Amino acid sequence: MATKNLFYLFGLLVFLPWCTPAQENRPIRGFLSVEPHELRLEALVELDGFRTRLGLDGDSVDHSRQKAVLQDLGEQLEQNVKLTVPAKDITFSDRMVRFVVFDSAKGFIDDVREQIPIKDALVGITLSASASGVTEVEIDWRWFAPGQKTLAVEVASSGRPYARFVSPTESVLSWQMEESAGVSQLIPVPVVEKEPRRRLRLLLIPGVILTAFGVVLLILKRDQAPSWVGWLVIGGLACGVASFKWRMESVVTPKGGEMNEIVYALLKNVYHAFDFRDESDIYDSLEPSISGELLEKVYLEIRESLELENSGGPRVRVYEVALRDCRIEDVVNEAGVMQARADWVTIGEVTHWGHTHERTNRYDARVTLTAEQGQWKFRELELLSEEREQKVSRRAVAPE
């Protein structure tokens, strides 16, 4: 009986490899992220599949070799994968290549080990290109690891997830957005309201007195009236005219609901500016909402708050701004400078190397608004507190 069981076990060990589908080696995974103003071509590369090609000896890659390895793999992706978009010239302006390791809370983060085991070494590559309104892309993927027969390419956009297999013999795939989500636009900010005020109306009283006094003197003295009496009459008349003609406009202080509309619209437009990727486009979009020296400060602070930790460039795209509270604290002067306390929440997301990062930020700040050329702008922004929550999820889709 024991001999018979051993015979069956031997037969199972011999024939099982032929009956079980082999797990194909796929050391490269490809990704494309299509955003309103940016295309990101990405890849995750298992270094073990390139050990022979890169001439890696031993069990690990040390710090002295890491830079050369990253340079080589980044160039391979850029040279051997081509994106074609109708009526657009796609040029990668930024390339980030690094060793990464997966963190359940943050996604892929930097692998900073001096000695990285080759069997565990994972390289993340991101190529970025500025492109607006992309709704279809053709990808010609000609970069495969030695012995790799198929490669899965995932496309992330505002539409449904998309994935296809490519191979050395069938390297081209086409993607088209099923539904266009549209590009967010600046929303109108309530205009600055002004009211006329006669600042010199009190001059009417001395004007009447001076004029009456001068006229009386002229009547009594007639030809003997001194010359200054005439100037007295002229001065009195001038005061009277000025009291009626000289009018000024002062800014009407917004009420609670109006203040909420102003601050919400400005915040929404500020975050909209960061949908762009070119620095000049961001600044141009911020300028209608930010005054003077605050422009650079806001640019740096918000850009930093939207960047993913250790990710190498991708920024969270804010799709929702919720103003929870806004109240006027002080009206500095009647020229339209006001201080307010604002509390708001931003919600956004970005897909990076196949993982979607959902980011919620909560802010408490003191803002100063100013009226410039009939438009409300932020003049100062003092951030009192910031809370950040992030969730990482994998929106896997089976390639066809």
Side-chain angles (χ1 to χ4, degrees), residues 32-293:
L32 178 67
S33 293
V34 182
E35 299 197 357
H37 301 285
E38 182 184 50
L39 287 178
R40 287 196 312 278
L41 176 64
E42 301 178 320
L44 285 174
V45 183
E46 297 175 2
L47 190 60
D48 195 36
F50 290 85
R51 181 193 295 265
T52 301
R53 183 189 176 284
L54 295 173
L56 299 175
D57 299 324
D59 297 327
S60 63
V61 53
D62 59 28
H63 186 71
S64 63
R65 291 293 310 277
Q66 291 175 13
K67 184 176 180 180
V69 168
L70 297 177
Q71 178 73 17
D72 184 278
L73 295 178
E75 290 177 352
Q76 289 298 313
L77 177 64
E78 189 165 1
Q79 294 171 4
N80 294 288
V81 179
K82 181 181 179 182
L83 301 183
T84 303
V85 178
K88 296 184 185 296
D89 182 20
I90 303 302
T91 302
F92 295 117
S93 58
D94 190 22
R95 180 173 73 189
M96 301 296 294
V97 190
R98 57 188 59 188
F99 286 96
V100 296
V101 62
F102 185 73
D103 180 277
S104 59
K106 298 181 179 180
F108 289 100
I109 61 175
D110 286 356
D111 188 342
V112 296
R113 291 176 289 179
E114 292 288 330
Q115 297 279 345
I116 303 178
I118 293 178
K119 286 188 174 296
D120 300 332
L122 187 64
V123 175
I125 310 172
T126 300
L127 306 178
S128 302
S130 179
S132 299
V134 174
T135 57
E136 56 181 298
V137 182
E138 182 182 271
I139 307 173
D140 187 2
W141 194 292
R142 296 182 177 273
W143 186 42
F144 299 84
Q148 185 171 5
K149 296 180 180 179
T150 60
L151 183 148
V153 179
E154 299 179 25
V155 181
S157 68
S158 59
R160 293 191 300 178
Y162 173 97
R164 290 291 185 273
F165 281 123
V166 293
S167 67
T169 56
E170 297 182 358
S171 62
V172 178
L173 67 87
S174 297
W175 168 86
Q176 186 170 2
M177 188 177 294
E178 296 181 359
E179 296 180 358
S180 178
V183 179
S184 61
Q185 303 290 332
L186 293 175
I187 63 175
V189 180
V191 298
V192 176
E193 294 186 7
K194 295 183 179 182
E195 61 181 3
R197 293 191 178 181
R198 290 166 51 190
R199 292 293 184 186
L200 302 180
R201 62 182 180 275
L202 294 180
L203 286 178
L204 179 61
I205 296 175
V208 172
I209 294 174
L210 291 175
T211 303
F213 183 67
V215 171
V216 170
L217 287 178
L218 287 175
I219 294 174
L220 295 176
K221 299 290 185 178
R222 297 189 179 181
D223 295 339
Q224 296 180 359
S227 60
W228 54 265
V229 174
W231 289 109
L232 192 65
V233 174
I234 294 174
L237 292 174
C239 288
V241 171
S243 68
F244 285 99
K245 296 294 187 180
W246 193 305
R247 298 192 179 192
M248 297 180 64
E249 289 186 332
S250 62
V251 174
V252 178
T253 303
K255 305 302 181 183
E258 297 172 344
M259 190 68 176
N260 288 350
E261 291 182 19
I262 294 169
V263 173
Y264 171 77
L266 291 175
L267 288 172
K268 186 76 172 177
N269 290 343
V270 165
Y271 285 103
H272 158 76
F274 288 88
D275 288 349
F276 295 96
R277 289 302 179 260
D278 288 340
E279 186 174 287
S280 60
D281 292 335
I282 296 175
Y283 269 93
D284 289 344
S285 296
L286 283 175
E287 195 276 333
S289 304
I290 307 293
S291 175
E293 297 179 357

Side-chain angles (χ1 to χ4, degrees), residues 294-369:
L294 183 63
L295 184 60
E296 183 175 359
K297 178 185 176 183
V298 168
Y299 170 78
L300 294 175
E301 288 184 350
I302 293 186
R303 187 186 67 178
E304 181 180 358
S305 73
L306 297 180
E307 288 180 347
L308 295 179
E309 296 87 350
N310 302 304
S311 65
R315 288 198 299 270
V316 173
R317 178 172 177 261
V318 173
Y319 61 82
E320 183 62 55
V321 177
L323 183 63
R324 302 196 301 186
D325 185 36
C326 181
R327 57 190 182 276
I328 298 176
E329 290 189 333
D330 186 26
V331 178
V332 179
N333 57 46
E334 294 180 342
V337 179
M338 295 175 296
Q339 288 183 350
R341 184 76 172 266
D343 181 8
W344 72 91
V345 175
T346 63
I347 305 173
E349 68 176 24
V350 64
T351 299
H352 186 42
W353 289 325
H355 288 75
T356 298
H357 300 251
E358 300 171 353
R359 170 79 62 78
T360 299
N361 284 9
R362 293 178 172 85
Y363 300 94
D364 181 17
R366 180 172 288 109
V367 298
T368 301
L369 278 71

